[in-house]
Amino acid sequence: MTTQSVSFDINTEVSVAENIIEYLQGHENEFSSALFSKHDQQDLRYQFATGSLNVDMVELSPDSKSGYATVSYGIHFFWPCNNQDEIDTYNEKLHFTVDNGKVCFDLVHHEPWIVL
């Protein structure tokens, strides 16, 4: 497992929650590889479903210094035997911290797993 930090400056004209929603959905490529790594089977039929990342809820701690963003996203699977596509939806809680006008997510990249 490895970690990746993603941080961005807070726009003070909108809430922290709005900043997080806008950034995550506008920068899906920064989050998709870490989210996909939980499902990665080293099988090219599986891919992160581009455009599927949504922020469902943002929870802030009482001191507004940390919290969780609950996101949903899709994993696309292609069935070559019958030429059909399937997208399964998953949910995750991503922890973040707020410090010095920045929001920081520490994303975990999981090792690929192989189905025997």
Side-chain angles (χ1 to χ4, degrees), residues 14-58:
V14 295
S15 70
V16 171
E18 288 175 283
N19 275 275
I20 290 169
I21 292 167
E22 186 176 302
Y23 192 84
L24 264 73
Q25 293 181 178
H27 295 84
E28 178 180 83
N29 60 325
E30 293 183 46
F31 296 86
S32 60
S33 63
L35 292 169
F36 179 70
S37 71
K38 284 185 89 171
H39 310 279
D40 189 3
Q41 299 177 34
Q42 296 292 291
D43 184 336
L44 295 178
R45 295 175 297 170
Y46 290 89
Q47 299 175 1
F48 188 88
T50 305
S52 68
L53 182 62
N54 289 304
V55 179
D56 300 322
M57 181 170 50
V58 175

Side-chain angles (χ1 to χ4, degrees), residues 2 6 8-9 16 20 31 34 50 52 61 69 78-79 81 89 100:
T2 59
V6 175
F8 59 92
D9 293 324
V16 171
I20 290 169
F31 296 86
T50 305
S52 68
S61 64
F78 177 69
W79 296 89
C81 59
T89 303
N100 293 325

Side-chain angles (χ1 to χ4, degrees), residues 21 30-32 34 36 43 49 53-54 57-58 62 64 66 69 82 85 89 92 94 96 101-102 106 109 113 115:
I21 292 167
E30 293 183 46
F31 296 86
S32 60
F36 179 70
D43 184 336
L53 182 62
N54 289 304
M57 181 170 50
V58 175
S64 297
S66 66
N82 59 7
D85 295 303
T89 303
E92 285 294 324
L94 303 177
F96 64 86
K102 286 187 177 282
D106 289 320
H109 285 263
W113 53 280
V115 177

